[in-house]
Amino acid sequence: MKRSLLSASSRDTSLVVAATCFIAATYGLVRLAYGLFLPDVQASLGLTTATAGAVSSAASVAYCVGALCGSAAGRRRRVLVAAALTTAVAGSLGMATASGVASFATAAVVASTSAGLASPALVAVVQHHLDGPRGDRAQGVVNSGTGPGLVAAGVLAAALSPDWRTAFVVSAAVSAAAGLAVLLLDGPRGARARAHGPEARGVLAPRPQRTGPAAWSRLARPAGGALLLGAASAALWTYGRSLLVGAGLGAGWSTAAWIGVGVGGTVTAATAGLLSRRPAPTAWTLTCSGLAAALGLLGVAPSSRTAALLACVLAGWSFVAATTALISWSGAVLPGSVAGATATLFVTLVLGQAVGSTLVGAAAGGHGLPAAFVGAAVVALGASTCGWASSPGAPAPRTDRGAEGARGPWSRSGPPEVLTGPTTPTPGRRRRDGA
């Protein structure tokens, strides 16, 4: 636990731990686990590659719907937590008990909605209890849940494979336990709230300054990059393990590679300082290029254990760091409407994943997964070019808050994560991402 949390009450500390576990569950064990268990699901239910991509696309759209609903109802934090808990448990159990492709697909879409609801809900919960720098650091700790969640999913797959049904039952149980813990620990702010007044750290306060249509046009370049990044990353989140299993690595090494993705996303904190000293567009170009290299290596050498493991670690780092750069970029181009700008960019990113899942599935059906991954690498390179010759705008204030990663784009004072949803400090004040 970070130093700033040591002085907080044990109840607040427990709440932060529970919230972090809830993000790990809804993202790592529920939403992103779809791609991890896909080879086993295909073997059991006869799910085709193209259909798997279409299901992933629908799940990404559901994530966006959940995220937007959560943002609109940010003040009703307990309702949002309960909705995220319900959809996570119902979706996971639905996948575990699915008798065919249709029922599995429906459950997967419901499960993905949970992650979109969880991010804005937990932003509101943490802001309700913790103020100032301590609250900022608590948000960072909660943000870090996606990476460990991916690692936990990989360990679960290694222990249970090919029994994916039991794995989703475990995911439902963990989601239920973490969500209920958040609800039980979330209570009145007490003296701290009264001391700071009703507007202190409110989800929607202070009101951001108005930004005209001309200013919003500055989002065109980062939005284009976000769309391309989402489309390229869909290859990893939906078909990463399927590629490795098809190349002959087997369940053990393919699962280890997936764990590598989580490790890569978790350790981005080690490079946060280096990236934060560079303009956001420059960091964007660097990290998107890293994802392109990782996807290309997976496509060219999927049967090499060493290459696959290194590529997955690089992919995990690149994706999380790229979303962090995107967050900083939104704050640089629209400092007066940071939350709205970042929400727009992250929804665009996940919509890119929705499109990318379908396109990668179609390409794989005609040319094979290795060729589809090479194509995704080219798309990632295209995303990197969006940072070329781009003015970074005014620098944002420095902070040591954690990264959005895969969580979502919800903040009352700054930009968000993801997906799909990943854990590094950024140079701007922001808050919150898949598959």
Side-chain angles (χ1 to χ4, degrees):
M1 193 60 62
K2 294 193 175 185
R3 183 183 302 273
S4 62
L5 294 180
L6 296 179
S7 59
S9 69
S10 59
R11 183 184 183 90
D12 287 343
T13 300
S14 298
L15 176 63
V16 171
V17 171
T20 304
C21 292
F22 195 41
I23 286 298
T26 54
Y27 280 83
L29 291 175
V30 177
R31 171 168 162 75
L32 298 178
Y34 171 83
L36 173 63
F37 294 109
L38 182 57
D40 298 324
V41 173
Q42 289 179 301
S44 298
L45 300 181
L47 189 66
T48 66
T49 300
T51 302
V55 172
S56 182
S57 296
S60 293
V61 173
Y63 173 94
C64 291
V65 172
L68 293 174
C69 290
S71 296
R75 292 185 184 274
R76 307 187 68 177
R77 67 188 191 282
R78 292 179 62 82
V79 173
L80 290 176
V81 172
L85 186 162
T86 300
T87 50
V89 173
S92 296
L93 291 179
M95 288 188 285
T97 59
S99 58
V101 172
S103 56
F104 179 85
T106 301
V109 171
V110 171
S112 184
T113 309
S114 68
L117 291 166
S119 284
L122 295 179
V123 170
V125 167
V126 173
Q127 288 178 339
H128 185 75
H129 290 272
L130 296 168
D131 296 331
R134 185 170 58 185
D136 292 342
R137 290 174 174 81
Q139 297 281 19
V141 172
V142 175
N143 275 343
S144 70
T146 303
L150 289 171
V151 175
V155 172
L156 187 63
L160 296 176
S161 183
D163 188 3
W164 56 273
R165 293 183 185 273
T166 300
F168 278 118
V169 171
V170 173
S171 298
V174 174
S175 298
L180 287 174
V182 171
L183 289 174
L184 289 173
L185 293 167
D186 176 27
R189 295 161 77 189
R192 180 168 52 252
R194 290 190 292 272
H196 292 278
E199 294 300 321
R201 301 292 292 171
V203 176
L204 300 180
R207 184 183 300 275
Q209 68 184 65
R210 293 184 179 181
T211 304
W216 281 96
S217 66
R218 295 200 295 269
L219 278 181
R221 189 183 292 268
L227 186 70
L228 292 175
L229 174 69
S233 66
L236 173 71
W237 298 124
T238 304
Y239 298 108
R241 186 165 177 248
S242 297
L243 170 71
L244 301 180
V245 170
L249 289 191
W253 272 98
S254 62
T255 301
W258 184 270
I259 293 174
V261 175
V263 170
T266 302
V267 301
T268 48
T271 60
L274 179 64
L275 288 177
S276 68
R277 290 191 291 272
R278 285 160 173 73
T282 301
W284 172 263
T285 295
L286 175 64
T287 53
C288 287
S289 298
L291 181 63
L295 294 174
L297 182 57
L298 285 171
V300 171
S303 60
S304 169
R305 295 176 177 178
T306 302
L309 187 59
L310 290 176
C312 285
V313 172
L314 176 59
W317 174 86
S318 298
F319 181 79
V320 174
T323 57
T324 298
L326 191 65
I327 292 166
S328 300
W329 201 356
S330 67
V333 298
L334 282 180
S337 299
V338 179
T342 309
T344 299
L345 294 181
F346 271 77
V347 168
T348 301
L349 185 150
V350 179
L351 288 176
Q353 290 178 338
V355 175
S357 295
T358 298
L359 293 180
V360 172
H367 305 284
L369 275 175
F373 267 69
V374 173
V378 174
V379 175
L381 278 179
S384 74
T385 65
C386 291
W388 294 359
S390 177
S391 173
R398 293 294 298 273
T399 182
D400 60 352
R401 292 176 65 179
E404 189 278 336
R407 297 193 59 185
W410 304 274
S411 169
R412 66 104 191 159
S413 61
E417 104 190 324
V418 167
L419 199 110
T420 209
T423 56
T424 53
T426 66
R429 287 182 59 81
R430 53 96 184 123
R431 187 66 192 119
R432 324 281 189 247
D433 143 2

